[in-house]
Amino acid sequence: MKQTKPLTILLFAILLINACGKEGCPDSKPIEKGVDKSYLPYIIPYSDTSTRLFLKNGTDTLVFKSQGLKETKILYGPIAESCDKYNLQQISLKMAANDTDFFQINFYARKLGDPMVNFEIVNSKEVIITDVYQYFYDYFKIYINSKPINKINILNFTYDSVNILKPYPNLSIYTKPNVGIIKIETSNNIYELVK
């Protein structure tokens, strides 16, 4: 019984020393985690001056304008089990027709694992953020070299090498490398690329 008490105290002391919080962590430079910008033409093929014309529900024509490519760093950590801090790079671009009709694409690094891609789709009746369904960044580039090739006809124009992303039953996002989003289907709206 006398030996278990010192062992328990020793074990507690070791756990306390290893469980460094913000006060117990040395001031260190964050670990830089970035994204591979060579993937941008496949994921975010828009520039700061891009415009795209979409037909909404077969009747309204909307001009989506680039809000500019934004690069940010998000500081993450330290967390209880580690003193490591991370500077996580994120590249995003928003294409907006107005305050209620826009989409945003985010390409971002993570603390652990490969970078990911997610989409935010907003229209006058719905706000759909696909954070809960993220896509591995290499899916967008590898897809071009894989079979079968998905083809889709949009407004009498045929696109091939199309990614069809279906994160939810009420959302489909059609993307083409080097072109971008060519079609969005939600439960209430359909956007089709005119040019």
Side-chain angles (χ1 to χ4, degrees):
M1 185 76 172
K2 287 184 178 182
Q3 284 187 337
T4 55
K5 188 173 183 181
L7 287 174
T8 304
I9 292 171
L10 180 63
L11 180 61
F12 180 75
I14 290 170
L15 288 173
L16 188 60
I17 290 168
N18 286 334
C20 68
K22 289 183 181 179
E23 290 87 29
C25 290
D27 193 20
S28 61
K29 188 176 178 182
I31 299 165
E32 298 289 329
K33 297 276 294 209
V35 298
D36 183 348
K37 290 185 178 180
S38 71
Y39 278 79
L40 284 178
Y42 305 100
I43 298 169
I44 306 176
Y46 305 103
S47 71
D48 289 349
T49 59
S50 293
T51 60
R52 296 292 188 273
L53 192 62
F54 279 87
L55 187 63
K56 180 179 178 182
N57 298 327
T59 57
D60 298 326
T61 304
L62 300 176
V63 178
F64 284 76
K65 295 179 181 178
S66 171
Q67 305 300 297
L69 197 63
K70 296 191 177 21
E71 185 173 339
T72 56
K73 297 275 180 126
I74 299 167
L75 185 63
Y76 181 86
I79 51 178
E81 66 269 7
S82 168
C83 286
D84 292 337
K85 294 182 277 186
Y86 296 86
N87 245 345
L88 305 174
Q89 180 185 33
Q90 175 176 292
I91 298 176
S92 59
L93 186 127
K94 180 178 182 179
M95 295 288 286
N98 50 50
D99 290 341
T100 60
D101 290 279
F102 65 85
F103 61 86
Q104 181 168 313
I105 306 169
N106 303 303
F107 179 31
Y108 57 94
R110 299 183 303 154
K111 179 180 79 103
L112 298 173
D114 290 333
M116 300 292 277
V117 177
N118 70 13
F119 297 85
E120 181 178 349
I121 311 295
V122 176
N123 60 60
S124 54
K125 295 182 182 178
E126 301 165 288
V127 176
I128 302 171
I129 302 173
T130 65
D131 284 339
V132 294
Y133 199 94
Q134 303 161 342
Y135 299 92
F136 286 104
Y137 76 106
D138 57 356
Y139 173 76
F140 291 86
K141 191 170 184 180
I142 291 171
Y143 183 83
I144 242 175
N145 299 321
S146 64
K147 302 287 183 197
I149 293 175
N150 287 315
K151 288 186 179 183
I152 184 170
N153 191 339
I154 298 174
L155 302 176
N156 297 319
F157 188 82
T158 301
Y159 295 91
D160 61 11
S161 302
V162 174
N163 285 326
I164 303 172
L165 313 173
K166 294 183 177 253
Y168 305 113
N170 65 336
L171 175 63
S172 296
I173 304 168
Y174 300 78
T175 68
K176 178 165 175 53
N178 298 307
V179 175
I181 292 179
I182 57 174
K183 185 175 182 179
I184 299 170
E185 291 178 335
T186 71
S187 56
N188 294 312
N189 293 291
I190 297 174
Y191 298 87
E192 297 172 295
L193 181 66
V194 176
K195 64 175 182 171

